[in-house]
Amino acid sequence: MPLRLVLILLTMTVAAFDAAVEPPQSFTWWTTNSLAKVKPLDPVPGVQVKGVDLYAGRNEFEPFQIVLRAQSKDLSGVDIDFSDFRTSEGAEISSKNVTVYLEEFVDLKRPSSIEGGEGLWPDPLIPRMDRYTNETRNAFPFTVPRGRNQPLWVEIFVPVTAHPGKYTGSARISLGGNVQFSVPINLTVWRFVLPSTSTLKSSFGLSGINALKQHRGRYTNDEDLHSITGLYTKSALLHRISTNGGSMQPPKFSHDAGKMQLDWREYDAEVGPFLNGAAIPEGEPLYGARATSAEVRTPKVFATEELEKSYWTEWTKHFQQKGWADRLFLYLWDEPASRDFPEVLKRGRVSAQTEPRLRNLVTTPFTRKLQEVVQIWVPLVNCLELKPGYPDFCDETPSLDAYARQTQPGKSLWFYQSCASHGCNIVGGQYFTGWPSYMIDMPGAANRVMQWLAWKFRMEGELYYSMNEAYGQGNDPWVNIRLSGGNGDGTLFYPGRPDRIGGRSDIPIESIRLKLIREGMEDYEYLALLARLDGRQSADQYADRIVEKPYLWESRPEVFLKVRQDLGEALDRAAARSGGSM
């Protein structure tokens, strides 16, 4: 066949894929950003956006949504596929870097606070093909019910090797195998590369035992426990989050003739790949990512303080030998009341005698009464600043200057959010509005802003008590995910069992909220990179446009995303000045 004819046929094929086929009148569609939470009965926008403009660095995920609505009858057999993305110079990002999810809805019986709402809300994301086992699941093709919205979540991963530039591609929607329309997608890839290992440290709780019971119906064996724990821990790492808890199995130990010995084989097999950067292999997104924290797993009771001290000493020795010592901490006490302080001090002084010294983490605002034993202060976000017009929510609300004086070598400041963001076991009133929140029925910006607060208030890390708390409550998280008065409190996953999602293997099902937390973690990387290239003040001006107070920040999606775009463009210019790609 003549070369010219081949080129003509190829051009016709590409044009056919990209051509926008007019949908029948019964099929309405539009695109929206990742901060929108589209409910089934939300009205069709007055202006329906018919394309997507995305901006991303390399080694970054960038999401958007396509919303479909059937007007006159249910539409079954609806499907979607994607073209490759190309620049005018011929650079290409394969469609294999696109993951599409069907958004499912959870039925909320009560709002989390007066900011929230009951009814059907989008949250679980069922992939066409999952990233863990590469199995095709049963979400596609799907049915769009008459008179209801069906959103799709689409994320594009920009590989480290992608060339900076302007890419074009498209999504093609079909009905019963026949193309209905295509969605033009413009993707601008900036020069800079985000690191695979997060700059903002984190430690989110994860119970492998509860995950196993949800997936298998009961505790089966240690092999299954380590397998399912590994999947969930990898999922967290793919969302730039490090976990604590895991299998919850401390190393076996013995104490004979005054010598403490620990058997590290099972622990290192479980946790080692995440600390070493081997959990995500080459060729996968975020290759080489490392966990940014690891907690000491301590048996509940030691007969003497000397035994406990010897046990902790072995932890610090092992982590030094492995090169992990900078990430080890001892979760000394959780939310101590003032009456607990003597016991906190007693236990903290024992850990302080280990060599090298353990870093003690305590979830409390700064207090001089504990400063000798605390190396990682973790105040509640509500305790960073008083909210005017309301009684003090926290026993103590020290100024941020008090923490600044603590940021000496070996000491650091983290923070956390809790049910205090929405109201604990109540439908929170006016005080509980405006705080960052990981609840389902909170605005998308509320799920993404925590990491901007971390930058604004000089936090080095974020703690969160659990990613799968509802797994252990004796109910099905797909049916009831409300805990502590909040919809989704402590639960960022759903159990992906084959009987529900298809395929052969169990996997974690990610939530929209988990995706938005990753967006916040990536925003933090933008700020950190710009500060490195142009100075802290350059990054601060963008954080100041998003965050004014812990309870007062930019919640309008369009404005939020415009700041993020401006930040990315400033970082792209800084990368160009530093010598091009970085």
Side-chain angles (χ1 to χ4, degrees):
M1 184 180 292
L3 178 60
R4 183 180 178 188
L5 180 56
V6 170
L7 292 173
I8 291 172
L9 290 173
L10 180 60
T11 301
M12 291 173 64
T13 301
V14 173
F17 192 103
D18 288 338
V21 180
E22 285 297 317
Q25 285 188 329
S26 59
F27 213 151
T28 302
W29 68 278
W30 64 95
T31 63
T32 190
N33 58 65
S34 59
L35 294 179
K37 293 191 177 181
V38 182
K39 295 183 284 186
L41 299 179
D42 284 350
V44 176
V47 177
Q48 298 160 36
V49 179
K50 298 292 187 178
V52 182
D53 293 306
L54 302 174
Y55 302 84
R58 293 178 289 165
N59 207 34
E60 180 176 9
F61 293 88
E62 192 57 28
F64 66 94
Q65 298 178 82
I66 301 171
V67 186
L68 309 174
R69 186 183 181 101
Q71 298 291 26
S72 58
K73 64 177 182 179
D74 292 355
L75 296 176
S76 59
V78 182
D79 213 338
I80 185 171
D81 61 356
F82 296 86
S83 72
D84 295 330
F85 296 82
R86 296 187 177 88
T87 67
S88 57
E89 292 81 19
E92 180 178 300
I93 296 175
S94 169
S95 60
K96 293 178 181 178
N97 292 289
V98 180
T99 304
V100 61
Y101 303 83
L102 186 74
E103 298 183 25
E104 285 202 5
F105 300 99
V106 290
D107 190 4
L108 306 182
K109 305 303 182 185
R110 298 177 68 196
S112 298
S113 75
I114 59 173
E115 280 186 296
E118 58 189 24
L120 295 174
W121 284 77
D123 198 49
L125 298 174
I126 316 300
R128 173 195 290 282
M129 179 181 290
D130 71 79
R131 287 191 180 275
Y132 310 104
T133 63
N134 295 316
E135 292 179 23
T136 300
R137 304 297 174 166
N138 63 11
F140 297 84
F142 56 93
T143 297
V144 180
R146 178 176 64 87
R148 289 177 171 251
N149 304 319
Q150 177 56 65
L152 304 177
W153 186 275
V154 182
E155 65 184 24
I156 302 173
F157 175 71
V158 181
V160 173
T161 55
H163 292 280
K166 297 183 183 297
Y167 292 75
T168 57
S170 60
R172 186 167 63 178
I173 304 292
S174 60
L175 180 61
N178 298 312
V179 176
Q180 299 298 295
F181 60 91
S182 67
V183 181
I185 304 170
N186 299 311
L187 170 63
T188 297
V189 175
W190 286 316
R191 292 176 178 85
F192 54 87
V193 179
L194 300 191
S196 291
T197 299
S198 296
T199 302
L200 180 65
K201 299 177 178 66
S202 60
S203 184
F204 282 38
L206 174 70
S207 171
I209 293 172
N210 286 343
L212 176 60
K213 290 178 179 178
Q214 277 290 334
H215 285 273
R216 296 285 191 268
R218 59 186 177 85
Y219 190 94
T220 51
N221 53 60
D222 285 359
E223 183 179 354
D224 286 347
L225 172 61
H226 292 150
S227 175
I228 203 72
T229 299
L231 275 178
Y232 276 81
T233 309
K234 180 178 180 180
S235 181
L237 196 62
L238 280 168
H239 291 82
R240 300 183 176 273
I241 292 169
S242 302
T243 62
N244 67 67
S247 73
M248 302 188 179
Q249 295 177 332
K252 296 180 176 66
F253 71 94
S254 61
H255 187 263
D256 297 308
K259 183 174 178 58
M260 176 72 71
Q261 289 187 319
L262 275 65
D263 184 346
W264 290 101
R265 287 173 295 180
E266 289 188 6
Y267 177 88
D268 285 355
E270 177 194 341
V271 179
F274 294 95
L275 293 169
N276 286 333
I280 300 177
E282 190 170 4
E284 292 188 17
L286 305 189
Y287 162 61
R290 296 170 184 258
T292 56
S293 65
E295 86 288 4
V296 176
R297 294 181 184 174
T298 302
K300 291 187 182 298
V301 178
F302 283 98
T304 67
E305 286 183 1
E306 282 303 312
L307 281 177
E308 190 168 47
K309 176 183 163 185
S310 297
Y311 181 82
W312 288 341
T313 298
E314 291 304 310
W315 272 83
T316 59
K317 285 181 180 178
H318 184 71
F319 269 63
Q320 272 202 318
Q321 291 166 1
K322 290 288 188 178
W324 306 334
D326 59 324
R327 288 167 280 175
L328 183 65
F329 69 88
L330 177 66
Y331 202 141
L332 187 66
W333 208 280
D334 185 54
E335 298 181 341
S338 57
R339 64 178 177 274
D340 299 318
F341 284 6
E343 191 63 30
V344 177
L345 285 167
K346 179 181 178 182
R347 195 160 188 258
R349 286 164 181 156
V350 173
S351 74
Q353 295 169 12
T354 61
E355 186 58 44
R357 185 174 177 178
L358 259 181
R359 300 181 74 213
N360 295 328
L361 180 151
V362 182
T363 50
T364 188
F366 171 76
T367 171
R368 287 187 175 85
K369 297 173 183 176
L370 296 178
Q371 64 180 336
E372 71 169 281
V373 298
V374 178
Q375 285 73 50
I376 305 176
W377 295 98
V378 191
L380 183 65
V381 66
N382 305 62
C383 302
L384 295 181
E385 192 170 321
L386 292 173
K387 191 173 185 181
Y390 299 93
D392 292 357
F393 185 82
C394 305
D395 291 338
E396 294 187 60
T397 308
S399 70
L400 289 171
D401 289 342
Y403 296 105
R405 292 190 290 271
Q406 288 290 303
T407 54
Q408 56 206 44
K411 293 210 171 191
S412 56
L413 176 61
W414 291 29
F415 70 154
Y416 73 108
Q417 62 172 272
S418 72
C419 59
S421 285
H422 54 78
C424 300
N425 297 309
I426 60 172
V427 176
Q430 194 61 43
Y431 171 81
F432 298 101
T433 62
W435 300 102
S437 173
Y438 292 154
M439 298 309 100
I440 295 167
D441 52 331
M442 292 294 112
N447 302 155
R448 183 172 177 169
V449 79
M450 188 74 169
Q451 294 72 34
W452 288 83
L453 267 71
W455 183 268
K456 170 92 172 181
F457 296 109
R458 307 300 199 256
M459 302 292 162
E460 294 181 39
E462 179 185 354
L463 186 77
Y464 192 57
Y465 80 103
S466 182
M467 302 183 78
N468 66 332
E469 189 70 9
Y471 283 36
Q473 300 300 312
N475 69 312
D476 188 346
W478 292 97
V479 177
N480 179 22
I481 199 169
R482 185 180 180 87
L483 289 171
S484 302
N487 295 306
D489 196 323
T491 307
L492 300 170
F493 288 117
Y494 297 82
R497 299 180 292 262
D499 61 347
R500 184 180 183 98
I501 66 167
R504 302 178 306 278
S505 307
D506 290 76
I507 60 168
I509 290 295
E510 302 139 7
S511 64
I512 287 175
R513 294 164 296 135
L514 182 59
K515 299 295 184 185
L516 293 176
I517 293 170
R518 180 170 63 193
E519 289 298 291
M521 296 293 280
E522 291 176 340
D523 295 340
Y524 190 96
E525 298 298 348
Y526 278 44
L527 293 163
L529 282 173
L530 184 60
R532 197 176 81 199
L533 291 174
D534 273 2
R536 175 91 196 198
Q537 197 169 13
S538 296
D540 285 350
Q541 64 178 309
Y542 295 99
D544 290 344
R545 288 169 61 185
I546 293 291
V547 179
E548 184 175 341
K549 303 282 187 182
Y551 49 82
L552 185 61
W553 35 264
E554 183 56 68
S555 60
R556 293 168 293 178
E558 295 77 12
V559 179
F560 195 113
L561 295 174
K562 179 62 167 62
V563 175
R564 182 262 185 193
Q565 183 179 337
D566 291 348
L567 169 60
E569 289 172 349
L571 180 53
D572 189 53
R573 292 191 297 270
R577 290 194 299 272
S578 71
S581 300
M582 54 173 290

